[in-house]
Each structure stands twice: as C-alpha cells, then as structure tokens.
C-alpha cells in the first residue's frame, strides 16, 4: 500500500536508500570482495592472512590475566 504520490519504483528505491540492514550488507559485500582480492596472491588466501595476523600479534593473554588499566 502506497501512502504518497510516488510511483512504485521510486518508493522501492527510497526504501533501499533508507534501509540500514541493506546498506550494511552492501558495504560488507564490497569489503569482502576488496579484501579477498588483496590477499589472493598469498598461499592460502584470506585464511592464511588471518593466521599471519594472529601470529604477528604475539602471545595472546590467558583468560586468567587481568586487563591492563
């Protein structure tokens, strides 16, 4: 049911422009495409990159370690 004088196509387009969930999905998809392409030359691709990042961060703190102020 339309409540304005806008044609159906314009109303649907406006709904997509104001739908936060849709916008987040589009940004997420674009980010994933760019990041996947940027690590494509690594042996193992994106998963290998995540492993390298985890290893370069050093030893993770234990769950018993108190947070630093």
């Amino acid at each position: 049911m339309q409540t304005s004088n806008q044609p159906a196509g314009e109303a649907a387009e406006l709904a997509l422009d104001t739908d936060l969930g849709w916008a987040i999905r589009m940004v997420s998809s674009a980010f994933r495409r760019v990041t996947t392409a940027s690590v494509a030359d690594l042996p193992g691709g994106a998963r290998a990159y995540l492993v390298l990042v985890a290893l370069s961060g050093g030893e993770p703190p234990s769950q018993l370690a108190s947070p630093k102020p």
Side-chain angles (χ1 to χ4, degrees), residues 25-65:
R25 170 74 173 142
M26 292 295 101
V27 169
S28 175
S29 295
F31 178 77
R32 185 176 190 146
R33 279 192 306 273
V34 169
T35 56
T36 300
S38 68
V39 295
D41 292 339
L42 285 176
R47 288 181 187 238
Y49 174 76
L50 293 174
V51 170
L52 291 173
V53 168
L55 290 173
S56 71
E59 187 70 29
S62 73
Q63 291 182 342
L64 297 175

